[in-house]
């Protein structure tokens, strides 16, 4: 099995629970129906099949029908986790902007997403709706991973409190809080090339003074992205892209 990262350009990615080491794979269920009925893949076309945790098989379609997609495996890869790890602490946005924030961050390379119930969040996940909210974010991460052909899905954790977020920041190799009033630009920071980088994005109403104090006490640095004030649903993705140009995108 190769640890070389394969080129996924042009070939669709299908996510399954397991990628066994066998000469032929069956992609069935919802993924198989999508391949056959929507993408209308035909024998001879190249595809990738992954488990979302770095294991990836490259192969050719040998049959497409009611049972799903049969793929003759040409090569298997074990794609390592990228360095540094990017963690996005995302305050709950209004409406469908939560899944949008997850979608954009996933396409741009986030590795872990932490929903955060900030003090000024308009959206509230009541105890009986936490599971539904997390499931919706995870579905968005999965769909965006397939769209961007990522071999590794980002983890979407259970929601964290402000105290739990502060603990996460304290353990990071670099922790930043996006704040429109911060004097220091994100571009002015020294970014580690390994370890964990945590980015905190506040809600539409902004961070409270108490949250900023708590996060600074945990070692986080308030920074600004640029002269414009971005929406909470796009700020995290913009920060990840800016950090990626200095670490991963070579």
């Amino acid at each position: 099995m190769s640890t070389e990262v394969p080129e996924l350009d042009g070939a669709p990615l299908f996510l399954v629970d397991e990628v066994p080491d066998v000469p032929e794979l069956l992609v069935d269920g919802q993924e198989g129906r999508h391949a056959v009925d929507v993408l209308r893949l035909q024998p001879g076309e190249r595809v990738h099949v992954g488990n979302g945790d770095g294991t990836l098989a490259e192969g050719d379609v040998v049959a497409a029908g009611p049972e799903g997609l049969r793929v003759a495996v040409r090569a298997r890869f074990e794609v390592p986790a990228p360095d540094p790890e990017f963690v996005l602490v995302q305050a709950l946005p209004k409406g469908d902007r939560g899944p949008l924030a997850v979608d954009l961050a996933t396409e741009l390379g986030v590795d872990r997403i932490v929903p955060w119930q900030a003090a000024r969040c308009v959206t509230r996940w009541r105890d009986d709706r936490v599971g539904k909210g997390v499931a919706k974010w995870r579905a968005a991460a999965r769909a965006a991973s397939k769209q961007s052909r990522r071999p590794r899905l980002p983890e979407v954790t259970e929601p964290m409190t402000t105290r739990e977020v502060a603990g996460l920041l304290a353990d990071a190799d670099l922790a930043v809080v996006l704040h429109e009033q911060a004097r220091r630009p994100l571009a002015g920071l020294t970014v580690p090339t390994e370890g964990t980088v945590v980015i905190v994005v506040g809600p539409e109403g902004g961070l409270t003074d108490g949250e900023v104090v708590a996060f600074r006490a945990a070692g986080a640095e308030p920074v600004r992205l640029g002269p414009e004030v971005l929406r909470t649903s796009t700020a995290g993705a913009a920060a990840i892209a800016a950090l990626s140009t200095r670490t991963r995108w070579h």
Side-chain angles (χ1 to χ4, degrees):
M1 181 183 294
S2 174
T3 57
E4 178 185 354
V5 179
E7 278 290 339
L8 300 186
D9 293 346
L13 170 64
F14 298 100
L15 295 174
V16 296
D17 292 336
E18 295 183 22
V19 184
D21 190 3
V22 293
E24 187 174 288
L25 294 171
L26 173 64
V27 180
D28 56 6
Q30 184 176 349
E31 290 286 84
R33 289 191 295 273
H34 180 74
V36 175
D37 297 337
V38 179
L39 298 182
R40 298 188 179 279
L41 294 178
Q42 299 296 319
E45 296 192 67
R46 185 168 61 96
V47 298
H48 289 92
V49 182
N51 66 352
D53 197 29
T55 301
L56 197 70
E58 180 181 59
D60 302 304
V61 177
V62 293
E67 67 173 350
L69 202 69
R70 289 201 171 273
V71 179
V73 177
R74 290 196 292 179
R76 284 171 57 89
F77 303 89
E78 195 64 43
V79 182
D83 243 348
E85 177 193 25
F86 290 145
V87 180
L88 173 63
V89 176
Q90 176 67 60
L92 303 181
K94 294 185 294 186
D96 290 334
R97 290 179 182 169
L100 173 61
V102 172
D103 181 298
L104 295 175
T106 299
E107 290 184 28
L108 289 164
V110 73
D111 301 296
R112 197 175 355 147
I113 302 171
V114 178
W116 171 43
Q117 185 74 69
R120 290 176 176 165
C121 283
V122 175
T123 295
R124 296 281 165 179
W125 284 358
R126 300 188 307 270
D127 290 345
D128 61 336
R129 294 186 63 82
V130 168
K132 183 177 180 179
V134 171
K136 195 170 184 179
W137 283 30
R138 287 174 178 166
R142 183 182 179 88
S145 294
K146 291 176 59 179
Q147 159 66 32
S148 53
R149 294 168 186 157
R150 287 186 49 165
R152 305 182 75 94
L153 271 68
E155 176 190 5
V156 178
T157 73
E158 295 294 316
M160 285 191 181
T161 65
T162 297
R163 176 177 292 184
E164 290 170 329
V165 170
L168 181 66
L169 299 175
D171 292 336
D173 295 278
L174 173 65
V176 298
V177 179
L178 302 187
H179 199 297
E180 67 272 14
Q181 296 180 3
R183 294 185 178 182
R184 192 171 188 183
L186 178 62
L189 295 181
T190 299
V191 183
T193 56
E194 57 184 24
T196 301
V197 176
V198 182
I199 306 109
V200 178
V201 177
E204 289 89 346
L207 299 163
T208 66
D209 291 342
E211 289 166 343
V212 175
V213 169
F215 294 159
R216 292 194 68 164
E221 179 81 24
V223 296
R224 55 180 170 80
L225 276 172
E228 293 81 12
V229 178
L230 302 183
R231 292 184 184 274
T232 184
S233 54
T234 56
I240 291 166
L243 293 168
S244 291
T245 60
R246 301 170 60 189
T247 55
R248 298 182 180 179
W249 293 353
H250 300 300

